[in-house]
Amino acid sequence: MSNKQKLLIIAIIAVLTILGLVFLFIPKTQLTLAIAPSQANIQIDNGSTQRVSNGGKLSISPGSHTIIVSEDEFTRYQTTISIKKGETQELLVALVPNTDAARERLNNPTSQDIVQRFNGKTLSTQTDQLDKDYPILKDLPIEARLYRVYPCNSILHPGDATKIAVCVDSDIDVATIKPYVEQDLATRGYKVSDYEMIYTGDGSE
């Protein structure tokens, strides 16, 4: 082997070593998995389904992604995330069990901790959404002499925790009390047309 060939091989090795070191120290964009049950299937966008375990990590490209987490005997969960280049983000998911066998798989301290964290995060997200969509909440309940205004369950969106109605309880008939309520809300900066208004009590008959 000539000296020229030796120098070429050394140069190639040096370049590959440098590239390897650069790749090693470039921050990776990835998801850390906090999932219950401890093993599940994950599909990112329209890619192939991967079998993953709690505590594992997944490399992912920067940007917005739709993620589906599924497992036999559990309700499938879908979410959308946005992740930046070089960022490490936790994917926290607790699947809802549909059978006794599935519930048994969650009957351990690690899974229960994830379930509690996930439920707490979901509740916090729902509360934030309510505060954003219903600014009137900061003034409710309103206790007036002839009526009471308070948040209540939506009739138009039953079962949706991010939707509420504004209830008015009064002993006076709706036609009489309604203008007073609307004026009261208007002076506070709210339009009744922005809300699902429900009149209850004896005055609603």
Side-chain angles (χ1 to χ4, degrees):
M1 182 181 295
S2 66
N3 289 335
K4 187 176 181 179
Q5 289 174 322
K6 290 179 180 179
L7 289 174
L8 180 60
I9 293 173
I10 292 172
I12 292 173
I13 293 173
V15 170
L16 291 175
T17 302
I18 292 171
L19 290 175
L21 290 173
V22 170
F23 180 78
L24 182 64
F25 288 103
I26 291 177
K28 295 181 177 65
T29 305
Q30 59 186 10
L31 296 174
T32 58
L33 306 177
I35 58 174
S38 60
Q39 290 189 319
N41 301 309
I42 284 185
Q43 182 183 32
I44 300 175
D45 299 323
N46 294 319
S48 59
T49 300
Q50 306 175 61
R51 188 70 175 169
V52 297
S53 299
N54 177 50
K57 294 183 179 181
L58 285 178
S59 293
I60 190 171
S61 61
S64 180
H65 299 279
T66 298
I67 297 178
I68 297 174
V69 183
S70 62
E71 179 68 341
D72 291 342
E73 302 183 36
F74 288 84
T75 299
R76 189 181 76 160
Y77 175 80
Q78 179 173 317
T79 187
T80 300
I81 66 163
S82 182
I83 190 166
K84 298 177 181 178
K85 184 177 180 180
E87 182 181 11
T88 296
Q89 193 174 121
E90 182 184 57
L91 179 65
L92 176 65
V93 176
L95 297 180
V96 176
N98 296 323
T99 66
D100 289 339
R103 281 184 280 274
E104 185 61 29
R105 290 182 61 185
L106 299 179
N107 190 22
N108 60 81
T110 300
S111 292
Q112 285 300 305
D113 177 65
I114 291 173
V115 169
Q116 291 179 11
R117 288 178 56 209
F118 179 75
N119 289 341
K121 182 179 179 180
T122 301
L123 180 60
S124 176
T125 300
Q126 291 174 343
T127 301
D128 291 343
Q129 189 66 43
L130 283 172
D131 290 340
K132 178 181 177 181
D133 293 343
Y134 301 93
I136 196 173
L137 283 172
K138 67 178 181 290
D139 282 329
L140 298 183
I142 297 171
E143 303 284 353
R145 186 170 63 87
L146 300 177
Y147 55 84
R148 178 173 182 263
V149 184
Y150 59 95
C152 58
N153 293 331
S154 169
I155 294 176
L156 298 178
H157 307 280
D160 188 342
T162 64
K163 303 293 183 182
I164 64 165
V166 176
C167 280
V168 180
D169 192 11
S170 176
D171 291 333
I172 300 174
D173 65 274
V174 174
T176 301
I177 204 63
K178 188 175 180 180
Y180 292 97
V181 173
E182 293 182 351
Q183 180 60 37
D184 186 355
L185 296 183
T187 59
R188 298 170 190 264
Y190 305 114
K191 295 180 180 179
V192 294
S193 58
D194 291 338
Y195 301 95
E196 178 187 347
M197 302 295 296
I198 299 175
Y199 287 80
T200 66
D202 293 339
S204 64
E205 299 297 334

